[in-house]
Amino acid sequence: MQAKIVLPKEELEYEAAEAIKTLRTNILYSEEVKSVVLTSTIPNEGKSTISLELAKSFAGLGKNTVLVDCDMRRSCLAARLGVTDEIHGVSEYLSKQSMKIVYRTSDPNLSIIFSGNCPPNPSELLSSARFEGLLETLKEAYDYIIIDAPPIGNLVDGTIISRHADGTLLVVRNDFVKTKEARRVKQKIEQNGGKVLGVVLNRVKKNQKGSHYYYKKYKNYEYGKE
């Protein structure tokens, strides 16, 4: 284990906190779902924020949880948590540069694996047996694995990650992504062997259901604009 990461103490607004709890409950009662990928269609839809809050929520329930940042091309987690020291993460592990990639946090039930430095070949590293082996090792050590994956719109990284997890949540920012584009991403995940658990609708307006996040099983939900 590396030096401890101090988590921010600010709390979510009530509606957002309740939505995260609802999302957590849906996962808890999903059969044989222990590793969950969060991805999106394009950047800036809020997947990294929701990944962190979901991981914190599982840890707050007493579940031994690890948050894995697999967005090696455009990670924001280390900056968000105020980490300025040099860190090793997924990219260093997959390229066999480091084995010490798990960081403790101020919550004893939550650990974090950062993305590490951006490598020249993220897709190749994620396609390796070493990545699959990492997830299998984590499944033995933790109750829940929350994986922040890159957007899938123009990259294959997220679909590669999704097929190695028990399920995938598609984060969709309200009035930001066209329905047909999100459907295309869903199809890409499934065509590559991933399982879409549902949609997390982010930045919902006050007069809509919820105010920050809203979860619904994908097959019964329409969102966005054509």
Side-chain angles (χ1 to χ4, degrees):
M1 291 274 188
Q2 306 293 327
K4 184 182 292 185
I5 303 297
V6 178
L7 298 172
K9 293 183 178 180
E10 60 265 21
E11 297 182 358
L12 294 173
E13 294 180 12
Y14 175 79
E15 294 88 349
E18 289 300 305
I20 288 292
K21 289 178 183 178
T22 299
L23 177 58
R24 180 190 68 190
T25 299
N26 276 281
I27 296 171
L28 282 169
Y29 287 97
S30 296
E31 188 174 353
E32 297 182 355
V33 175
K34 300 295 182 182
S35 56
V36 180
V37 172
L38 283 88
T39 187
S40 60
T41 302
I42 58 178
N44 300 318
E45 294 196 69
K47 65 176 180 61
S48 296
T49 298
I50 297 174
S51 296
L52 176 59
E53 294 300 333
L54 183 59
K56 288 165 59 179
S57 185
F58 272 110
L61 202 62
K63 301 296 183 181
N64 191 19
T65 306
V66 61
L67 172 61
V68 185
D69 184 359
C70 283
D71 195 346
M72 290 185 281
R73 300 177 192 264
R74 197 171 181 267
S75 174
C76 64
L77 182 61
R80 178 169 297 175
L81 295 178
V83 179
T84 56
D85 296 335
E86 181 181 358
I87 55 175
H88 292 165
V90 174
S91 62
E92 284 77 21
Y93 180 84
L94 296 182
S95 58
K96 301 182 180 180
Q97 297 179 53
S98 178
M99 295 288 290
K100 298 179 179 180
I101 61 171
V102 181
Y103 290 77
R104 298 176 298 163
T105 75
S106 50
D107 186 327
N109 295 315
L110 178 60
S111 298
I112 292 177
I113 299 177
F114 293 98
S115 63
N117 293 312
C118 180
N121 56 342
S123 300
E124 287 78 2
L125 292 177
L126 292 169
S127 299
S128 68
R130 191 169 176 82
F131 177 67
E132 185 175 0
L134 172 61
L135 292 187
E136 290 301 319
T137 299
L138 294 176
K139 284 183 180 180
E140 294 177 3
Y142 293 92
D143 297 322
Y144 283 93
I145 306 167
I146 306 301
I147 305 170
D148 180 6
I152 289 179
N154 295 314
L155 298 171
V156 299
D157 301 11
T159 57
I160 296 170
I161 297 166
S162 293
R163 68 169 174 252
H164 294 302
D166 298 328
T168 298
L169 293 171
L170 182 59
V171 176
V172 176
R173 179 174 167 181
N174 191 42
D175 292 333
F176 193 67
V177 178
K178 293 182 178 180
T179 302
K180 62 181 180 181
E181 294 301 316
R183 285 176 176 163
R184 183 174 64 85
V185 166
K186 174 182 179 286
Q187 292 172 353
K188 287 175 68 174
I189 294 170
E190 294 175 336
Q191 288 170 356
N192 282 274
K195 176 183 178 182
V196 178
L197 299 175
V199 166
V200 181
L201 187 59
N202 190 23
R203 298 197 183 183
V204 182
K205 297 177 182 178
K206 290 283 186 180
N207 60 351
Q208 292 177 265
K209 187 165 184 176
S211 65
H212 285 77
Y213 316 120
Y214 176 52
Y215 170 79
K216 190 76 173 179
K217 288 186 177 179
Y218 195 101
K219 63 182 179 180
N220 297 324
Y221 194 56
E222 298 293 336
Y223 53 85
K225 297 178 179 179
E226 295 290 354

